[in-house]
Amino acid sequence: MEIITSHIHLDLDGFASMILAKKLYPNAKLVFSGNISKNVKEVANLYQDILNIQRISDIDLEKITKLIIVDTSNINRIGNFKNIIHKENVEIIIYDHHSSNENDIKKGKIFKNIIGSNSSNILKYIFEKNLNLSDYEATIALMGIYEDTGNFTFKNTTSKDMYFASKLLEFGANLEMVLEFVNKNLKTNELEIFLNFLNLGETINHYSHKIFITKIVGSKFHKNLDIIANKIMDIKDCDACFLLYSYSNNISIIARSTSKSIKLNKILNKFNGGGHPEAASAFLRDIDINEVFLNLKNEIFNYIPENKIAKYIMSTPVKYIKPDTKIKDVHKTMIYFGYSGIPVVDNDIPIGIISRRDIDKAIHHGFSNAPVKAYMSSNIICASPNTSIEELKKIIIENEIGRVPIIENNRLIGIVTRTDILRNLYEQKFVLKKPSEINPTIIDNNLLNKFPKKILDIFTAIENISKIRNEKAYLVGGIVRDLILNIENFDIDIVIEGDAIQFSKDLITVLNIKKIITHEKFKTAILFLENGLNIDLASSRLEYYEYPTSLPTVSYSSIDKDLYRRDFTINAMALEIDYNNFGKLIDYYNGYHDLINKKIKILHNLSFIEDPTRIIRAIRFASRFDFSLEKDTEKFLIQAIQEGFLNKISFDRLKNEIIKILKDKKPNKALKLFEKYNIFEKLNLNINITSSTYTIFNKVLKNKNEIIKNNIEPWQILLITLFRRLDTKDLKTIFHRFGFKNKFIKKISIGINERRNIAEKLRYLNKNSEIYFLLKNIPLEIIYLIKYAYPEIENKIDIYLNKLKDISQ
């Protein structure tokens, strides 16, 4: 067992070092060695679902084979882990940035650099290996650097700390969160002025924002008002803080904010101030501080917009259970949906909530058949639809919970999870994640302008109906992907956060509809328009698989859950086309980023297991767009192939995927990937791809227009090219499994087996009549195969195709 740990009384730099070490040792478990600081506790709680950090009391020390220690070398600062340091079978690895002392561990590999923070120390090795960091990893790492360098003011700060901090910003580190969790200490001579500001201030509650504004009159200039402002932000737990300090007929205004909605530079613009949205200042002369105070309050009310609230980010409708549901059934539901907690509802009223941890404990103690009401927590911490996101974040952190039910009129209408909160914190990065700076509005407008008028008219109609019905509508699937890639695609798939069938019936009143087909069970509808276009509408839904390759079970959900059930990130984007945000690109899973970087990436680790058809689909998209498989995606694909999941694909679905590949413009890359991953071998198809296979493919693709003129589909020639070396028995077996008609199977099987004899005879025929009678009963698919497989007789086949084949006897 591999363990990553740090020192007792853990600070943010030690905590960040643990998270970063996980990038270098992905198989290791994160374990706290002892007590942790308040800010570490809050950050760890916010990210607990992602990090899964354990306590030392949860670990069997005897099973440890590798111990990675970060941010300390002192044996007396690692708790009970010191008891295994000297064991011969335990490998020790240390990453530290402190000066050496007599209590340092001398054993093992030691990576020590005397720089400002240990986070910087580990980042050096991460970047040397060209490893990427996620948004949250970069944010936590930046917290570590900020804390141990005193926001780059401590003497131990080095240029490397600043360099790595800038790199973290490129990886999406969130400075707002860094500011929130990193504390500055006040000096003794600043405490009095700090307390005066606190005592003389007032709190303004405006659109769910909490703003503290205060003023005092002093005798001399204070240069550290920014530190005091940050400390007041911590103490008052507010979204923004304004300090007014008057001295010698001068007034200094210092403002700090942790909310992206509060633009401090705009508020202080009237006072000839400036700065950034989150940190700004102003300086005034010869004006009364009380007058400035009142004017500033008015500006705050004018410039601060309504905050985002729960109803805009909550998931709805909510999956819940009844109080008499058995523990084992709740466990199954949680596994299917990937939930870590679920509300308990009786007669539409929430009466409790139960976590995955409690369920696991109940099962462990043999209470699988007990009702969930016996183990649920009845103390439900709820919020209203109008609760601000900032307040929701505080509720989750302070109460150490993973989700907050949203209640209206005593009824459960939604739920907000840690993930929802984090997604909002990184909203801009989730929506359009691209290495270079791009204005989202420009992208949105450009996307819409690519559609022809007949498509835009449909979207406008959907927008109007969505406003009437107060339901959100999204354009989803391949059409969004292809739109970004400038590929024409008119497959209009719409997801409605509501009743898609009723939405489609209302849509009939504003569009020229020829026919409508509905499916009540799945809440889907297909509209056939007079102009020849079709619109597929579906209610947003969540799908889960009871066992691999089974048909999915459907439950209704929100758009983010609907997109999560898709196959790959590049297919999990949506364009909002309703009255609320017409044209907004929705990209929860970084599909745009993967599209720009030409990567095929699955949405979750079990994707290929749940639906092995995605293995073939991954190859198809990689070939079609000339993309590569993302590293982990390739790993899981290979694993699924090796474990035999390809053989769980139905032949009908396999046939459809292969035909789609053969219909693409450039299927050759797919063939190479089939070879690379031994796809045909694992499918027990005795197909041998050779250089001549690629030669024939290239000729078919080059001459596909000619082939189509003779009423032959080019993909059919490519398919029989793949199967041309099989014996009659195997050939007929595959064709039967693929569902081809007997007549087709018979003529193709005979033709493939006879192609060599036909080619041999054709070599010695020179008269047109002889060529005609030899080929007149041979299927054209086989004739084209012979033509491209035997170039020495190609001219004779051309004579038949161009001059002789239409001669009637």
Side-chain angles (χ1 to χ4, degrees), residues 195-254:
L195 292 173
N196 286 336
F197 272 126
L198 276 180
N199 293 332
L200 296 174
E202 64 178 276
T203 299
I204 300 171
N205 290 300
H206 182 59
Y207 284 134
S208 299
H209 294 284
K210 185 179 178 182
I211 301 137
F212 185 77
I213 181 170
T214 182
K215 59 182 173 64
I216 64 172
V217 177
S219 59
K220 61 180 181 179
F221 172 71
H222 277 276
K223 64 180 180 180
N224 289 333
L225 292 178
D226 58 332
I227 297 177
I228 294 173
N230 288 333
K231 182 60 66 175
I232 288 176
M233 292 275 291
D234 293 336
I235 297 297
K236 300 302 292 184
D237 196 21
C238 54
D239 301 306
C241 173
F242 294 85
L243 306 186
L244 285 77
Y245 182 70
S246 175
Y247 60 96
S248 304
N249 294 323
N250 300 316
I251 297 175
S252 290
I253 304 176
I254 302 294

Side-chain angles (χ1 to χ4, degrees), residues 165-213:
S166 67
K167 291 287 290 183
L168 293 173
L169 292 176
E170 294 177 9
F171 280 98
N174 189 322
L175 276 173
E176 294 174 3
M177 293 194 69
V178 173
L179 179 63
E180 178 180 356
F181 289 102
V182 176
N183 294 319
K184 291 182 178 180
N185 295 321
L186 291 176
K187 298 178 181 178
T188 303
N189 61 353
E190 295 168 342
L191 287 176
E192 182 179 353
I193 190 172
F194 165 71
L195 292 173
N196 286 336
F197 272 126
L198 276 180
N199 293 332
L200 296 174
E202 64 178 276
T203 299
I204 300 171
N205 290 300
H206 182 59
Y207 284 134
S208 299
H209 294 284
K210 185 179 178 182
I211 301 137
F212 185 77
I213 181 170

Side-chain angles (χ1 to χ4, degrees), residues 484-712:
I484 296 170
L485 293 174
N486 290 313
I487 298 173
E488 186 177 279
N489 185 338
F490 293 158
D491 292 332
I492 306 173
D493 290 319
I494 306 296
V495 165
I496 306 297
E497 281 192 340
D499 189 338
I501 291 181
Q502 190 56 53
F503 194 102
S504 66
K505 291 178 180 178
D506 290 345
L507 200 56
I508 292 176
T509 62
V510 293
L511 290 175
N512 295 321
I513 305 296
K514 182 169 61 175
K515 181 182 177 182
I516 179 172
I517 298 176
T518 62
H519 197 307
E520 286 289 346
K521 181 180 179 181
F522 295 104
K523 289 291 182 182
T524 61
I526 304 175
L527 302 182
F528 298 87
L529 277 64
E530 294 286 353
N531 63 8
L533 293 173
N534 300 338
I535 308 173
D536 287 6
L537 292 99
S539 298
S540 57
R541 64 190 190 269
L542 174 68
E543 295 179 353
Y544 64 91
Y545 296 77
E546 294 189 6
Y547 52 87
T549 75
S550 67
L551 291 175
T553 299
V554 176
S555 178
Y556 301 108
S557 186
S558 53
I559 185 62
D560 59 329
K561 303 296 191 303
D562 184 278
L563 294 175
Y564 187 66
R565 69 184 178 84
R566 312 275 165 166
D567 49 11
F568 308 108
T569 58
I570 63 170
N571 296 329
M573 294 179 287
L575 272 176
E576 191 168 344
I577 53 172
D578 53 48
Y579 67 96
N580 192 35
N581 287 302
F582 189 82
K584 180 181 179 182
L585 181 64
I586 306 297
D587 183 16
Y588 293 116
Y589 309 110
N590 297 330
Y592 185 90
H593 179 266
D594 293 330
L595 206 60
I596 296 302
N597 288 282
K598 298 185 175 183
K599 295 291 184 182
I600 304 296
K601 182 178 180 181
I602 52 176
L603 287 159
H604 57 92
N605 296 353
L606 296 179
S607 184
F608 293 126
I609 304 300
E610 288 183 346
D611 184 1
T613 310
R614 290 171 178 164
I615 297 171
I616 310 298
R617 210 174 294 150
I619 291 173
R620 171 159 63 88
F621 286 124
S623 176
R624 175 182 295 178
F625 303 122
D626 196 22
F627 285 9
S628 60
L629 300 183
E630 181 263 343
K631 183 178 178 181
D632 284 340
T633 297
E634 183 176 42
K635 179 183 75 173
F636 291 123
L637 179 141
I638 293 172
Q639 182 178 329
I641 291 173
Q642 291 175 344
E643 293 179 2
F645 281 93
L646 276 173
N647 290 306
K648 298 181 183 296
I649 305 174
S650 71
F651 269 88
D652 185 56
R653 297 183 75 184
L654 178 62
K655 177 192 74 172
N656 290 337
E657 289 299 325
I658 289 177
I659 289 175
K660 286 178 181 178
I661 288 173
L662 298 179
K663 284 183 176 181
D664 280 339
K665 292 181 179 179
K666 298 179 180 180
N668 283 0
K669 181 174 180 177
L671 281 191
K672 292 177 181 177
L673 292 174
F674 271 51
E675 282 190 279
K676 177 180 179 180
Y677 302 122
N678 296 318
I679 297 293
F680 288 128
E681 179 183 334
K682 296 295 182 180
L683 285 168
N684 296 318
L685 301 177
N686 298 318
I687 296 173
N688 183 24
I689 299 175
T690 65
S691 59
S692 63
T693 306
Y694 291 105
T695 300
I696 297 172
F697 265 52
N698 289 332
K699 290 182 177 179
V700 171
L701 296 171
K702 183 179 179 180
N703 296 282
K704 64 180 182 179
N705 291 334
E706 172 201 334
I707 296 169
I708 292 172
K709 286 180 180 178
N710 283 308
N711 297 317
I712 301 296

Side-chain angles (χ1 to χ4, degrees), residues 41 45 381 394-402 418:
K41 183 177 180 180
N45 179 54
I381 300 172
K394 293 171 187 174
I395 290 172
I396 283 177
I397 291 174
E398 292 173 1
N399 294 282
E400 298 185 20
I401 55 178
R418 282 194 188 98

